[in-house]
Amino acid sequence: MNSLTAYLSTATESVPLSLVFVLITTIFLLIVLSSSSQVEDEGAIGYTLPILEQYKPGWKGEVLDEPMLKIPGSSIVQCYCPASGQLLGIVNPATPDGIDRAIAKAKEAQIDWAGTSFAQRRRVLRTLLKFILDNQESIATAACLDSGKTRVDASFGEILVTAEKLKWTIDHGEKALATERRPTNFLMMYKVNEVRWEPLGVVAACVSWNYPFHNLLGPIISAMFAGNGIIVKSSESTAWSSIYFTNIVQSALSACGHSPNLVQTLTCWPTTASHLTSHHGISHLTFIGSRPVAHLVCASAAKSLTPICVELGGKDAAIVLDDISDIEKVASILMRGVFQSAGQNCVGIERVIALPKIYPRLVKLLEPRIRSLRVGNTLDDQEEVDVGAMISATNFPKLESLIAEAVSQGARLLIGGQQYAHPKYPKGHYFQPTLLADVTSSMRIAQEEVFAPIFVLMRASDVDDAIRIANSTEYGLGASVFGTSKRDLEKVVKCLKVGMIAVNDFAAFYAVQLPFGGVKGSGYGRFAGYEGLRSLCNPKSVCRDRVPWLASTRIPRPLDYPIGSARRAWEVCCGIVELGYGESWRRRGKGLLKVLIGG
C-alpha cells in the first residue's frame, strides 16, 4: 500500500498540474458534448397549427335553441358547448367503409414505424410534449368548449397528466420494452431465455368524453411507443375537439419525418361502432366507458378474438379515519376529488366514509365550503368559476330521483340536489354542487355511479365497518384512505377490493404512471406503467443454446423414434425427471444413474 502511494505521488509530481487540469477538462467536455449530441438527435422539433376562431378571446357562437348531438333526420354530429349551448360545428360520422380505410392507412404506416428505434419514437414524443407546453391555452380552451369543464380542471385533468404520460414514456418506456432475460433450470442450464416485446400491428381505443384531450392522447402515446399504429374512436360528445387534438399528434409525426397516417381518429354512432370493435385488422382494443356498453363491445371483440382492456368507472370510496392530523388539508383534497370536472371523473370520489369522531367535524367544515361553490362557464372572463358544466342534461332526472329517494330513506340533503338553471347560460347543462349526509349502503345512491358533483357522506362505526362499506358495491376501481396509524392504513390498503389506492391523497397513483385499472365491475386489464405498455405488445419468448458448439439438445437413443424398448424408454424418462426435479441430491443421483444405465 505504501509503495503504491509513493508511486502515485511521484507520478503526480512529474506531470504539471496545468496539464492534468487540461486533460480532465477535455474529458469532461467530450462527455458533455457526446451527451448533448445524443439528446440533440432526439430533440423536439417545433411546429405550429392554425388557431381556430373558437379559441380566440371574445368568441361568441350561435346559441342553439335545443342543444343536442343528433339532429332528427340527419346523421351528422352536432357539436356544441355544454356550458353555454353555443354551436361549435358539425362532424360527419364514420361509415364502415371509412373505418376500413382508416385501418388500412394505419396498417401501411405501421410497417415502417415498427422499424423505428426507441430514439426515433422518443423524438416524436418530445416534439409532442413541446407543442403541448407551448400551447396550453388553446388545448385547454378546446377541452373546455367541448366538455364544459373549467380551465383549472383542464390543466390538471388534461394537460398535466398527458405531459406526465409523455415524460414517463420518454424516460422509462425503453426500459419497459427492452428484451428481458428470464431464468433457466437445471435440465436446461445450457439454454438462454428471453422475452421480446414486439409491436402488435394496429390497435384501437374507444374512449370516453370526460377528458377529451387526455383520453384521446393516452392510448396514442402508448401505442406509438410500442411500435403500433392506432385507431381511436372518440365520443360523439367531444368529436369537435378530437379533430384538433388528432391534428396535434399527426403534425408531430410529420415534423419528425414519419407518416401521419399512423394515427387515425374517428367518430361514429353506436350502430357503426361494432364494425370497428369486431374488425379483424385490429390487434388489441382499449375501451373506456360504461358497463352496459362494455358488454356489447366485449361481445363484438370476441367475434375476431381481439384482446381487450376495459375500464368501466367505479364508486370510489375515500375512508377518513379518526386520527387524521390536518382536517383542513383532507377536506380540500376531498373537495377536489368530488367536484373536479363536475364529478365526471372515473376515479372521482363518489363516497366519503368517515369514522364517528371525525364525521361531525367534516360536516361542519364542508357545508359552508360546498355552499360557496360557483357554477358557470370558465371561458367567460367576467366571472370566477369553481365547477363547470356537465356534458349533458340527460341524467339530471335520475340524479334528482336518487337524491330524493335517499332523503326519503333517512339521508340529509344539506346543499343542492337539483339541476341548476344558470341565469347567464340558460342552455347550459348545470347541476347544483350537492352535499348529502347520513347516506347508508342500502341506498341506491351509495351503490350506483352518479358521475356528478355530489358529495356523498357516510358514517362508519370503526375501521372494519368502513372497509365493509367501501367493499359493498359491485365496483372496484380506486380508493383513498386518510389517517395516521400505520396499522390502520395498512389494514385498509390490504382489505379494499380495488385496483388502485392512494394513501393520504386522491388519485396520486395516476400522476406517477402506475398501472391503471380495476377489479369486479370496474373492468379488467391495465393501461399506464410497464403493464400498460407491454399489453400493447406481443411477448415473444425466445429460447436458444448458450454455447451452441459446446452443448445442444440431443434426443437420447432410447427415446428416439422409432422407440426400441418401451420399458427402457420409461426408465430413462423417470431418470430425467428425478435428475431435474429431485428433492435431494441423493434422488438426483439416482436419476442420473437411471439415465446412464438406460442410455
Side-chain angles (χ1 to χ4, degrees), residues 194-410:
E194 64 186 32
V195 177
R196 299 180 180 181
W197 306 95
E198 298 184 347
L200 287 172
V202 177
V203 300
C206 299
V207 298
S208 56
W209 45 260
N210 54 332
Y211 290 101
F213 180 64
H214 179 65
N215 284 353
L216 185 82
L217 262 72
I220 290 174
I221 293 166
S222 296
M224 288 198 307
F225 197 80
N228 299 310
I230 184 169
I231 315 293
V232 183
K233 179 203 166 297
S234 62
S235 168
E236 310 92 275
S237 298
T238 51
W240 178 77
S241 61
S242 296
I243 296 173
Y244 171 53
F245 298 150
T246 302
N247 195 9
I248 292 174
V249 180
Q250 291 179 332
S251 297
L253 283 164
S254 295
C256 295
H258 305 288
S259 172
N261 290 336
L262 184 72
V263 174
Q264 301 285 320
T265 63
L266 53 88
T267 299
C268 64
W269 297 109
T271 51
T272 309
S274 61
H275 187 76
L276 172 66
T277 54
S278 63
H279 204 288
H280 288 275
I282 298 300
S283 301
H284 182 279
L285 178 64
T286 298
F287 173 78
I288 304 173
S290 68
R291 289 184 64 191
V293 177
H295 286 290
L296 299 175
V297 171
C298 290
S300 176
K303 295 177 182 177
S304 54
L305 297 180
T306 302
I308 183 168
C309 169
V310 289
E311 191 273 284
L312 309 178
K315 194 70 180 172
D316 289 15
I319 294 177
V320 184
L321 305 179
D322 275 334
D323 63 351
I324 58 172
S325 58
D326 188 341
I327 190 172
E328 292 274 355
K329 181 181 75 172
V330 171
S332 293
I333 295 174
L334 294 175
M335 292 274 287
R336 170 58 54 184
V338 172
F339 295 109
Q340 179 169 309
S341 293
Q344 300 165 117
N345 187 357
C346 54
V347 289
I349 297 174
E350 294 247 342
R351 298 172 295 157
V352 176
I353 305 167
L355 267 61
K357 292 180 181 179
I358 205 67
Y359 188 94
R361 294 176 60 196
L362 267 180
V363 174
K364 184 178 180 180
L365 183 61
L366 290 166
E367 188 170 357
R369 293 189 62 175
I370 295 175
R371 194 179 300 279
S372 66
L373 291 177
R374 297 156 297 186
V375 177
N377 181 3
T378 190
L379 298 179
D380 189 337
D381 294 333
Q382 297 178 2
E383 64 177 23
E384 296 295 331
V385 174
D386 299 303
V387 180
M390 297 187 68
I391 197 70
S392 168
T394 303
N395 284 334
F396 287 175
K398 179 183 177 182
L399 294 175
E400 293 173 348
S401 174
L402 287 172
I403 292 168
E405 181 182 280
V407 171
S408 71
Q409 295 172 348

